[in-house]
Amino acid sequence: MNSGSCSSLMEVGYDHHHHGHEELHVLAVDDNLIDRKLVEKLLKISSCKVTTAENAIRALEYLGLGDQNQHIDALTNNNLKVNLIITDYCMPGMTGFELLKKVKQESSNLKEVPVVIMSSENIPTRINKCLASGAQMFMQKPLKLSDVEKLKCHLMKCRS
Amino acid sequence: MDTLVAQLQRQFRDYTISLYHQGFLDDQFTELKKLQDECSPDFVAEVVSLFFEDCEKLIGNMARALDQTGNVDFNLVGSSVHQLKGSSSSVGAKRVKGLCVTFKECCDSQNFEGCVRCLQQVDIEYKSLKAKLQDLFSLEQQIVQAGGRIPQVDI
């Protein structure tokens, strides 16, 4: 296990469903178009495969938890398998916090998927609430390249 | 003897520095530039363009909401300001973001005159930034056309 470098994902055997795929597949959820574009680029530059969703409902649908009761197990279907969810906190309709809770309440393997919450506001009670509900990390917007690098290191450490 | 490229590069450097020093841009703009590479050589211009479109749309929404005399939905205005604050923060549009902070306070206290003033200022400010960034991108193009490389500017 390579504990130093953040760039080599092949050496991390953290997900036994990984099927040898090298890239982290991230589902990024944000209602703001500019922020979506930014987080997508940040993740792609960090060698992640990215799927974006403009709200929590769309995100849940993608994860197979939509109202249509699609019985797609998102973790074994290689195309959909999501290794990380990163979501904005403040979104109209369902918030990122509510999305976090829905994921963590799942009985399937989906509840093991790390969820990172982003917010432009630095409110300690909000941060603590998210972490207490199972968020992997809380990240302050606007995101920088160094934030994503830290995130990847953190994720890899959690699995080694 | 100063070549055209050297002159353009100096102009570019000076202009960039002035935009930061005058508070038009902050280090988030620098972060955006880090994301530009051979795969996406126009990334900054694209994001910035989306931002200005967003400004226009949100300002339009806010203007319409404020136009409903006697029945202004300050929550609606406030949520548009929140969006604009987020976008401006993400692209490094420092002055626009600063105005959004004041604007949000006016919305929260349902200060109609304050909101109208803030809206006017935000409109002026984003258009000013748009013009300046157009000049900056134009300088970049001129440097490249003259056969030079765009210098890395450390603020």
Side-chain angles (χ1 to χ4, degrees):
Chain A
M1 190 78 56
N2 183 344
S3 57
S5 157
C6 286
S7 57
S8 172
L9 282 166
M10 279 283 273
E11 283 138 15
V12 179
Y14 69 90
D15 182 352
H16 59 279
H17 290 297
H18 219 190
H19 300 288
H21 280 198
E22 296 159 32
E23 288 183 314
L24 207 65
H25 179 194
V26 185
L27 176 62
V29 193
D30 200 317
D31 62 308
N32 186 307
L33 173 63
I34 282 111
D35 287 345
R36 263 199 316 281
K37 198 161 167 87
L38 195 63
V39 78
E40 181 183 42
K41 185 67 182 167
L42 281 167
L43 291 167
K44 281 187 170 163
I45 277 199
S46 309
S47 309
C48 299
K49 172 171 141 81
V50 187
T51 301
T52 58
E54 59 187 20
N55 58 53
I57 304 293
R58 294 268 167 93
L60 288 173
E61 281 168 8
Y62 187 78
L63 295 167
L65 300 178
D67 280 342
Q68 284 87 355
N69 278 325
Q70 299 148 302
H71 293 289
I72 299 164
D73 182 348
L75 289 182
T76 55
N77 180 332
N78 285 341
N79 288 334
L80 293 181
K81 181 168 57 68
V82 165
N83 309 118
L84 167 69
I85 298 164
I86 181 164
T87 177
D88 192 23
Y89 182 94
C90 255
M91 294 188 292
M94 191 184 289
T95 66
F97 178 62
E98 286 157 350
L99 173 60
L100 161 71
K101 287 196 290 185
K102 277 220 152 40
V103 169
K104 293 302 163 185
Q105 278 160 13
E106 264 295 291
S107 50
S108 72
N109 282 339
L110 189 56
K111 73 170 179 291
E112 304 301 329
V113 176
V115 181
V116 171
I117 309 274
M118 312 178 269
S119 178
S120 52
E121 290 159 306
N122 189 352
I123 302 172
T125 48
R126 174 182 290 185
I127 296 170
N128 292 335
K129 182 174 79 167
C130 291
L131 294 175
S133 292
Q136 189 78 17
M137 255 180 113
F138 187 96
M139 293 174 76
Q140 184 82 34
K141 280 169 131 182
L143 293 190
K144 301 173 171 6
L145 204 50
S146 56
D147 293 327
V148 177
E149 284 160 11
K150 267 184 228 146
L151 171 63
K152 278 175 67 179
C153 281
H154 177 102
L155 286 177
M156 284 160 73
K157 275 199 215 104
C158 287
R159 279 153 180 76
S160 54
Chain B
M1 193 173 70
D2 220 3
T3 63
L4 174 63
V5 167
Q7 279 176 38
L8 289 169
Q9 286 172 332
R10 199 176 41 251
Q11 274 179 49
F12 174 79
R13 198 177 259 116
D14 290 347
Y15 196 53
T16 302
I17 290 172
S18 79
L19 289 177
Y20 281 85
H21 284 190
Q22 289 171 35
F24 288 98
L25 298 173
D26 64 28
D27 59 53
Q28 185 59 20
F29 188 77
T30 315
E31 291 295 322
L32 273 193
K33 298 199 85 167
K34 289 182 191 169
L35 303 181
Q36 188 157 288
D37 55 20
E38 309 80 46
C39 302
S40 50
D42 300 312
F43 180 73
V44 178
E46 282 167 16
V47 174
V48 150
S49 170
L50 281 175
F51 169 65
F52 292 131
E53 279 170 26
D54 208 35
C55 285
E56 202 178 317
K57 184 190 82 177
L58 290 169
I59 287 170
N61 292 349
M62 294 188 260
R64 264 188 303 281
L66 288 169
D67 235 0
Q68 311 300 316
T69 2
N71 194 26
V72 173
D73 185 348
F74 285 99
N75 283 334
L76 192 61
V77 183
S79 78
S80 290
V81 175
H82 177 85
Q83 286 287 314
L84 189 58
K85 179 160 170 263
S87 306
S88 56
S89 171
S90 294
V91 304
K94 188 175 180 181
R95 284 199 190 182
V96 177
K97 177 177 121 180
L99 286 172
C100 287
V101 174
T102 315
F103 201 161
K104 189 70 173 45
E105 286 164 12
C106 291
C107 290
D108 292 342
S109 53
Q110 309 214 342
N111 174 355
F112 179 75
E113 277 88 24
C115 282
V116 170
R117 251 195 324 272
C118 285
L119 183 66
Q120 284 167 355
Q121 286 174 324
V122 158
D123 191 56
I124 291 168
E125 202 56 56
Y126 100 81
K127 285 171 175 164
S128 168
L129 180 62
K130 184 175 177 182
K132 289 182 189 299
L133 288 180
Q134 269 163 4
D135 288 343
L136 191 68
F137 295 146
S138 166
L139 270 173
E140 284 185 343
Q141 277 165 13
Q142 286 175 62
I143 292 170
V144 168
Q145 273 159 21
R149 285 190 329 151
I150 298 160
Q152 173 115 344
V153 184
D154 296 318
I155 307 301

